[in-house]
Amino acid sequence: MRGAPYHGDQFCAEVKHYQGPADQGTHFVEFLAKCYVAQQEKYLFGDHYMWITWAPFNVNSWSQLHEPQRIESAVVQHRQRIFGDVSEDEARKRIDANAVQSVSERVWRIVLSEKQEGLLPLTEWRAILAHELILKGEW
């Protein structure tokens, strides 16, 4: 990524180009569990975890979707893949609260529209920007 405060940060993203909410809520829970594992494993691209979609989902709880308790719940739900054959109680005991908090702080939920896909800076502006970044040693 470029620009403050994220300059040099890496990210990974899951993209859902859906026309409607569909089953994104289910997929998002799985995404949170994957982010938890990535954070535990100190994944190279784990500075930010982006969920990119063209259709909002779970709109009644949108602002809470990445809260720590949601991440813990996702980890418990997908515990078999994370911890193996353990009970829900055992999975809850094994959850690393620091990793959960870190994931919560790193999740982005981005909703795009078809019109945004065509927004690009003019070729001349991209060239000027590239030139300036090269001069600064940031390209």
Side-chain angles (χ1 to χ4, degrees):
M1 297 173 70
R2 292 194 179 108
Y6 307 112
H7 188 75
D9 285 2
Q10 301 292 322
F11 70 92
C12 64
E14 186 157 337
V15 179
K16 299 294 184 194
H17 197 268
Y18 291 8
Q19 297 303 310
D23 57 351
Q24 285 189 82
T26 301
H27 290 290
F28 188 76
V29 169
E30 184 177 1
F31 169 75
L32 291 176
K34 290 175 184 176
C35 293
Y36 173 84
V37 171
Q39 195 61 38
Q40 284 288 91
E41 299 295 321
K42 301 192 183 340
Y43 180 59
L44 176 64
F45 300 109
D47 294 324
H48 306 278
Y49 304 108
M50 297 182 182
W51 179 269
I52 303 170
T53 184
W54 279 253
F57 62 99
N58 293 0
V59 295
N60 290 334
S61 58
W62 181 257
S63 63
Q64 294 92 35
L65 289 179
H66 67 286
E67 289 186 351
Q69 59 269 26
R70 297 280 181 122
I71 297 163
E72 289 175 7
S73 177
V75 171
V76 170
Q77 184 175 338
H78 292 277
R79 68 187 178 279
Q80 302 296 82
R81 294 173 67 190
I82 299 170
F83 302 120
D85 190 20
V86 300
S87 68
E88 288 186 19
D89 288 339
E90 181 60 29
R92 282 188 184 87
K93 291 177 189 173
R94 292 186 183 188
I95 292 174
D96 179 345
N98 291 327
V100 167
Q101 184 62 40
S102 187
V103 169
S104 177
E105 294 167 1
R106 295 165 190 254
V107 169
W108 298 39
R109 293 152 306 146
I110 302 169
V111 179
L112 299 174
S113 74
E114 298 293 331
K115 290 181 179 180
Q116 286 174 296
E117 292 179 43
L119 292 176
L120 295 172
L122 297 173
T123 302
E124 296 84 9
W125 294 356
R126 290 193 311 257
I128 292 168
L129 178 60
H131 175 76
E132 291 298 320
L133 289 172
I134 289 168
L135 289 177
K136 292 180 179 180
E138 297 177 9
W139 187 272

